[in-house]
Amino acid sequence: MINNKVLAIILGGGQGSRLYPLTQDRSKPAVPIAGKYRLVDIPISNCINSDIKRMFVLTQFNSASLNRHIKDTYHFSFFSSAFVDVLAAEQTPHNKTWFQGTADAVRQSMHHFLRHEFEYVLILSGDQLYQMDYEKMIDAHEKSNAEISIATIPVSAKDATEFGILKSDDTNVVTSFIEKPDASLLPDWTSEVSDQMKSEGRHYLASMGIYIFNRDLLINLMENPDTIDFGKEIIPQNINNHKTLSYQYEGYWTDIGNIDSFFEANIGLTEDIPKFDLYDKKKRIYTRARMLPTTKLAGTMLEKAVIAEGCIISAAKIEKSVIGIRSRIGKETTIINTYMMGSDHYETLAEIDRDKIEILLGIGERCFIKNAIIDKNCRIGDDVRINGGKHLEDTETDMYSIKDGIVVIKKGAVIPKGFAL
């Protein structure tokens, strides 16, 4: 049992500007994913599945919905020491600034962590999609008598320039580290990887931003206020002074850093055998239990569609799309390559009549929507045509944004009848 040895810290990230407009009024870990989950459910579920049940989530922007989600979702026994607590940036007499970086966030919150007993701190990112058994990583850390461990994943030369790349010896002890190397330097940074990884051209070990620190070392490192980031400063500055282990992981992992990667990760769930497996009982992803009714379909042709519970769908066709909770889609509508997040509530016939609502929650009739993300609680009128793609320039309006050809309909937007894009 490792429960009492490990404290997990989930970093909620900064303002999430690269995921805008999905982060316009919610923090990055609270962004809905896969139709019914939130991004923060991924690291929390990985922790629970690894028998780590004491977690802090650090955030500083728009944390209200994240607070609500965690409060409504993660209930442990009254007699258990388990918890998931959200820590927002707070001004104190000793510190009057926001979190300046990942290490600074941990430093500012240390007084909360030190109230608990633990031997190791597991530091995780709140915006990655993967399923990992942290217990194996902690075992490797203990057996090697490491002071720091870094989870690493083999990447290709094309991707290596976007990551911190490291090299290790034949005992997996890290010997050197470089942040986002120039392509010309890569020949000197290849590592020993499995035959499977070699066949995929993945010869470089990239840091996944997942770290284990021994308690005393972390306390010591946090005493220097000038180091504000783990990846850029703490790790490079300490690999030669403190035994640092590379823990190699070869499963599916993606960093949800921007709209493009977020869109790809969600649409990837519609594949026959998705790389991210939501159906593995041993790697279950937990989220809020909503007690919704079953989804109802009428006359709809489905092709590679993922549909959450509580939907009422009369569309003509849904292809390679993820449809979120409580979604309503009208007759003769076609949805292709789209992530529709759904709604937070239903509208009753009485409400529609009383408030004279002309454009209902969801998508109306005879619409065509392709290459889009439709945020929560949107109202799309009849006969709307949205055809996303590389032919569209990046655009920003009150109703929608276009990034890399993906049309993002903003949360709560009302798209008038007959609108075309």
Side-chain angles (χ1 to χ4, degrees):
M1 294 285 286
I2 59 170
N3 197 344
N4 294 321
K5 285 186 179 180
V6 183
L7 201 63
I9 299 170
I10 299 166
L11 301 171
Q15 207 157 355
S17 54
R18 291 191 299 155
L19 266 181
Y20 177 88
L22 303 180
T23 50
Q24 186 171 330
D25 59 1
R26 59 166 79 92
S27 63
K28 212 181 333 181
V31 172
I33 193 162
K36 62 178 285 184
Y37 307 96
R38 306 266 190 159
L39 266 173
V40 76
D41 291 329
I42 306 304
I44 291 176
S45 298
N46 283 338
C47 282
I48 292 171
N49 293 334
S50 304
D51 198 36
I52 297 168
K53 293 172 184 165
R54 296 183 302 160
M55 292 163 259
F56 287 99
V57 182
L58 308 191
T59 185
Q60 63 182 337
F61 293 100
N62 296 325
S63 55
S65 65
L66 178 68
N67 268 314
R68 192 165 55 248
H69 173 72
I70 286 175
K71 181 175 69 68
D72 291 346
T73 305
Y74 297 101
H75 301 278
F76 298 99
S77 164
F78 180 76
F79 299 101
S80 165
S81 61
F83 62 84
V84 183
D85 282 353
V86 178
L87 297 179
E90 56 187 358
Q91 289 192 343
T92 69
H94 306 291
N95 188 77
K96 300 188 184 301
T97 63
W98 290 105
F99 297 152
Q100 302 301 303
T102 54
D104 187 59
V106 171
R107 178 183 298 107
Q108 290 194 39
S109 307
M110 278 299 283
H111 60 289
H112 294 289
F113 311 146
L114 294 176
R115 292 172 187 160
H116 300 270
E117 289 185 11
F118 60 92
E119 292 179 37
Y120 309 111
V121 172
L122 174 66
I123 295 176
L124 306 168
S125 171
D127 54 0
Q128 298 172 347
L129 192 61
Y130 65 107
Q131 290 161 306
M132 182 175 174
D133 186 348
Y134 303 133
E135 196 163 7
K136 291 180 180 176
M137 183 176 174
I138 290 157
D139 285 345
H141 179 87
E142 283 190 310
K143 284 174 183 171
S144 68
N145 292 315
E147 293 179 88
I148 304 170
S149 284
I150 306 170
T152 57
I153 191 162
V155 296
S156 66
K158 174 177 170 285
D159 294 331
T161 54
E162 296 300 313
F163 289 98
I165 301 295
L166 52 84
K167 291 194 75 167
S168 60
D169 62 21
D170 54 8
T171 62
N172 294 318
V173 172
V174 177
T175 55
S176 49
F177 179 95
I178 186 169
E179 180 74 14
K180 296 184 179 178
D182 187 83
S184 63
L185 300 175
L186 289 180
D188 295 327
W189 286 87
T190 57
S191 288
E192 189 56 42
V193 294
S194 70
D195 291 341
Q196 175 64 34
M197 294 295 102
K198 287 176 184 172
S199 70
E200 295 176 19
R202 294 162 63 174
H203 299 283
Y204 308 91
L205 284 183
S207 168
M208 296 165 66
I210 296 170
Y211 313 112
I212 297 170
F213 284 87
N214 289 0
R215 175 193 171 111
D216 291 344
L217 176 60
L218 185 68
I219 293 170
N220 183 34
L221 293 176
M222 290 299 102
E223 288 175 358
N224 179 2
D226 296 329
T227 51
I228 60 171
D229 194 84
F230 282 107
K232 293 177 183 151
E233 295 164 325
I234 298 275
I235 297 300
Q237 289 169 11
N238 287 281
I239 56 170
N240 294 321
N241 303 326
H242 302 280
K243 187 175 183 181
T244 303
L245 185 75
S246 163
Y247 178 78
Q248 205 172 131
Y249 174 76
E250 294 190 355
Y252 172 76
W253 175 87
T254 187
D255 189 20
I256 309 281
N258 54 36
I259 290 293
D260 192 29
S261 60
F262 176 81
F263 185 67
E264 272 186 37
N266 280 284
I267 298 302
L269 298 171
T270 66
E271 297 295 337
D272 290 341
I273 303 177
K275 292 176 182 174
F276 186 76
D277 185 4
L278 288 167
Y279 303 92
D280 188 333
K281 280 186 178 179
K282 292 179 182 174
K283 299 175 182 175
R284 198 169 278 164
I285 304 299
Y286 300 95
T287 194
R288 184 179 161 200
R290 296 180 177 87
M291 311 307 174
L292 288 170
T294 51
T295 282
K296 184 165 64 173
L297 294 134
T300 306
M301 190 183 99
L302 301 174
E303 175 64 32
K304 292 192 175 180
V306 172
I307 300 177
E309 61 265 45
C311 300
I312 301 171
I313 297 172
S314 303
K317 182 180 183 182
I318 298 174
E319 180 183 320
K320 208 173 180 188
S321 296
V322 176
I323 308 299
I325 54 169
R326 302 187 193 87
S327 290
R328 185 197 63 82
I329 306 176
K331 294 176 183 175
E332 298 178 50
T333 285
T334 296
I335 312 283
I336 301 171
N337 220 48
T338 289
Y339 175 26
M340 180 180 185
M341 291 185 183
S343 299
D344 289 322
H345 62 278
Y346 292 112
E347 285 176 324
T348 66
L349 292 173
E351 286 173 333
I352 293 166
D353 187 51
R354 182 193 69 211
D355 300 332
K356 298 182 170 51
I357 299 171
E358 289 188 19
I359 299 177
L360 306 182
L361 272 174
I363 299 173
E365 299 182 355
R366 299 175 301 281
C367 295
F368 177 87
I369 296 174
K370 185 177 182 182
N371 296 329
I373 297 171
I374 302 168
D375 206 331
K376 284 275 191 84
N377 305 328
C378 290
R379 300 170 184 271
I380 297 178
D382 296 341
D383 302 298
V384 166
R385 183 175 180 84
I386 295 171
N387 186 21
K390 296 294 184 184
H391 61 284
L392 295 175
E393 290 185 8
D394 284 7
T395 307
E396 175 66 28
T397 75
D398 289 342
M399 291 192 303
Y400 64 88
S401 295
I402 302 173
K403 287 189 173 182
D404 298 319
I406 301 159
V407 180
V408 185
I409 308 298
K410 294 184 177 181
K411 186 177 181 181
V414 180
I415 307 295
K417 296 177 182 179
F419 175 84
L421 184 62

